[in-house]
Amino acid sequence: MNPLTLGVLYGVVTLLVMFSGMPIAFALGTVATGFMYFLMPAASLDTITQNVYEEMASITLLSIPLFILKGAAIGKSAAGRDLYSAIHAWLHKVPGGLGIANVFACAMFAAMAGSSPATCSAIGSAGIPEMRRRGYSPGFAAGIIAAGGTLGILLPPSITMILYAVAAEQSLGRLFLAGIGPGLLMVLLFSGYAVYRARAEYALAYRAYQQTGAHSAYLEQEHFTLAQKMEMLPRVLPFVILLIGVMVALYGGYATPSETAGLGALLAMALIALVYRVWRPSDIAPFVTSTIKESTMLLLIIGMSLLYSYVMSYLHISQSAAQWVVDLHLDKWMLLCVILLMVVVFGFFLPPVSIILMMCPIILPPLRAAGFDLVWFGIVMTIVMEMGLIHPPVGLNIFVIKNIAPDIPLKEIVWGVLPFLLLMLLAVILLSLFPQIATAFPDMIMGGQ
């Protein structure tokens, strides 16, 4: 059987097994084991556990459960709500200030949690009710939180970037630094849209008030005295200390990414113990339980995905697919467009973890041959995968929002996130035109390392 036929069969069987409802990790493992049994030497089945173990024994992957623990400690305590409230108090006079406060809160939380669903859940549980209470339309409130949550896999530390660094054999430090510029760009784009949308909704509410006398919460003016604002500043200080501590340890060369993850987890636990009095075993148990569940799920997916990729490589599926793309003799940028389109299509059905581990063996060789910087591509790919997090039919963040605000119709949530999909596309175009947005920080801080 030639590699093309094998590749098509491999992909079709994988989709059928996934659509059966089987969890992703077990679906990938089942398909890989089945193809090993029928198409590879019998002795290869004896190496399954060894292959999975060797791939998962990477010290870089150790940082994943530690970053998850840090995010769980902050997200499941009152810390996330306090961060949001403090930012809102300082931005409430800006048009759309409440929306901007949510974007900034998502960005800050993302820089500590490294997970999109965690960011979405922590900030959305406080942000969506507050925006709706102040007159924001349900779709806009849901959309800005869902989109802001995607910053969790772009701003460092990002679990997704950790996996990309392993799959692409790139420097994790450079990837983390490369995410800062695009992350700030996304924050600016989202904040700019929040101002535009808030002005439009305010104008509609004011027009309705003039014509019918219907009063909207949008028209109410909220006031915070300087004393109240200053009183809220200490709520942000622990987050700033945590963020600075992690960044200095990582980029100052004092700790490896895995050690930094451990430091961040310890600082987060110390923060909630000292500031929020969360130190009893019964209080800590939910954080630990959540961390174990999420880490187990992710590591199982990683292990089975790596086995899946190993089978693809052994059967020459990935090499043939890469060669097929090269043989098309596409222009450099057309090649990039085709590959990103593939990522978008996979993003309709699969989470970023699976996309990275399944696609990198196929797409990276042609990109490297075309002269693309794989660190820069990692950032672009991350943004495109973010689009999958808020795009139907799967759109994980959409369902996180639906869980937080079950009374908002799914249709309104989907329409609310569409403008942010366009903004993400704009960010990809800007990164293609001005790659320095991603490469400036790594080159400035790490040089040629």
Side-chain angles (χ1 to χ4, degrees):
M1 195 179 297
N2 63 55
L4 175 61
T5 306
L6 267 178
V8 172
L9 181 62
Y10 202 56
V12 170
V13 172
T14 302
L15 289 176
L16 289 175
V17 174
M18 283 185 174
F19 288 153
S20 72
M22 186 182 294
I24 290 174
F26 298 116
L28 296 176
T30 299
V31 173
T33 304
F35 273 74
M36 289 176 79
Y37 179 81
F38 288 107
L39 298 173
M40 293 170 63
S44 64
L45 291 172
D46 299 331
T47 67
I48 290 177
T49 52
Q50 180 184 348
N51 286 332
V52 173
Y53 173 79
E54 286 180 353
E55 294 291 353
M56 292 181 64
S58 167
I59 192 68
T60 305
L61 295 180
L62 175 63
S63 57
I64 290 178
L66 295 171
F67 278 132
I68 291 174
L69 176 60
K70 182 176 72 169
I74 296 171
K76 294 185 179 295
S77 68
R81 291 192 299 273
D82 280 357
L83 171 65
Y84 164 76
S85 299
I87 295 174
H88 167 57
W90 283 89
L91 293 176
H92 74 284
K93 283 193 174 182
V94 179
L98 189 56
I100 297 173
N102 279 286
V103 173
F104 274 66
C106 283
M108 287 192 68
F109 191 89
M112 290 175 284
S115 166
S116 282
T119 302
C120 204
S121 177
I123 303 303
S125 58
I128 291 178
E130 285 296 312
M131 282 193 284
R132 296 182 70 186
R133 189 169 68 84
R134 289 172 172 82
Y136 285 67
S137 64
F140 176 44
I144 200 165
I145 294 293
T150 63
L151 296 170
I153 65 171
L154 184 62
L155 290 167
S158 162
I159 293 170
T160 304
M161 286 190 191
I162 295 171
L163 298 178
Y164 179 82
V166 172
E169 299 180 351
Q170 297 296 309
S171 163
L172 182 57
R174 291 190 72 86
L175 274 165
F176 278 177
L177 284 169
I180 294 175
L184 295 176
L185 172 65
M186 299 275 279
V187 168
L188 289 174
L189 290 174
F190 290 175
S191 299
Y193 176 73
V195 173
Y196 165 77
R197 180 65 180 266
R199 286 181 181 274
E201 291 196 353
Y202 181 89
L204 286 174
Y206 186 70
R207 194 177 305 122
Y209 175 72
Q210 287 183 317
Q211 293 174 353
T212 65
H215 184 73
S216 169
Y218 239 125
L219 305 178
E220 294 178 4
Q221 296 296 319
E222 193 172 12
H223 297 284
F224 289 92
T225 65
L226 182 59
Q228 288 175 316
K229 291 181 181 179
M230 297 302 295
E231 185 182 339
M232 289 184 179
L233 275 182
R235 299 184 186 184
V236 180
L237 188 59
F239 294 96
V240 175
I241 293 172
L242 175 60
L243 189 57
I244 291 175
V246 170
M247 293 302 178
V248 168
L250 179 60
Y251 300 123
Y254 300 107
T256 65
S258 299
E259 292 167 345
T260 303
L263 174 64
L266 288 174
L267 287 175
M269 297 297 284
L271 164 67
I272 62 172
L274 294 173
V275 179
Y276 298 96
R277 306 298 182 195
V278 178
W279 53 270
R280 296 180 182 85
S282 59
D283 296 329
I284 296 174
F287 311 151
V288 177
T289 302
S290 173
T291 300
I292 292 172
K293 286 181 178 178
E294 191 172 343
S295 299
T296 302
M297 177 192 69
L298 277 175
L299 291 172
L300 271 174
I301 292 175
I302 292 167
M304 293 302 104
S305 295
L306 291 168
L307 179 65
Y308 185 90
S309 300
Y310 165 73
V311 175
M312 285 179 66
S313 178
Y314 186 92
L315 297 175
H316 294 281
I317 296 172
S318 53
Q319 296 93 323
S320 299
Q323 188 60 48
W324 175 77
V325 174
V326 171
D327 289 344
L328 291 175
H329 300 295
L330 296 173
D331 171 78
K332 176 180 178 178
W333 295 103
M334 185 60 68
L335 172 67
L336 179 67
C337 290
V338 169
I339 287 175
L340 291 181
L341 184 60
M342 290 168 59
V343 175
V344 169
V345 172
F346 272 83
F348 292 165
F349 309 102
L350 298 173
V353 172
S354 299
I355 295 173
I356 288 174
L357 296 172
M358 290 171 62
M359 291 195 66
C360 278
I362 299 173
I363 62 177
L364 293 184
L367 287 168
R368 187 182 287 110
F372 282 104
D373 180 346
L374 294 188
V375 170
W376 172 86
F377 174 74
I379 302 303
V380 172
M381 184 180 181
T382 298
I383 295 175
V384 173
M385 288 188 297
E386 284 180 3
M387 296 168 69
L389 286 172
I390 59 173
H391 194 294
V394 177
L396 180 59
N397 281 12
I398 291 177
F399 294 102
V400 173
I401 294 296
K402 184 63 178 172
N403 185 57
I404 294 170
D407 59 318
I408 301 180
L410 190 61
K411 181 180 178 181
E412 284 195 42
I413 298 175
V414 171
W415 280 107
V417 301
L418 285 181
F420 295 97
L421 284 170
L422 296 176
L423 291 173
M424 290 178 178
L425 180 59
L426 175 60
V428 170
I429 294 171
L430 289 174
L431 276 169
S432 300
L433 294 173
F434 308 102
Q436 298 85 359
I437 297 173
T439 59
F441 277 111
D443 290 344
M444 180 173 59
I445 295 177
M446 301 183 70
Q449 295 179 28

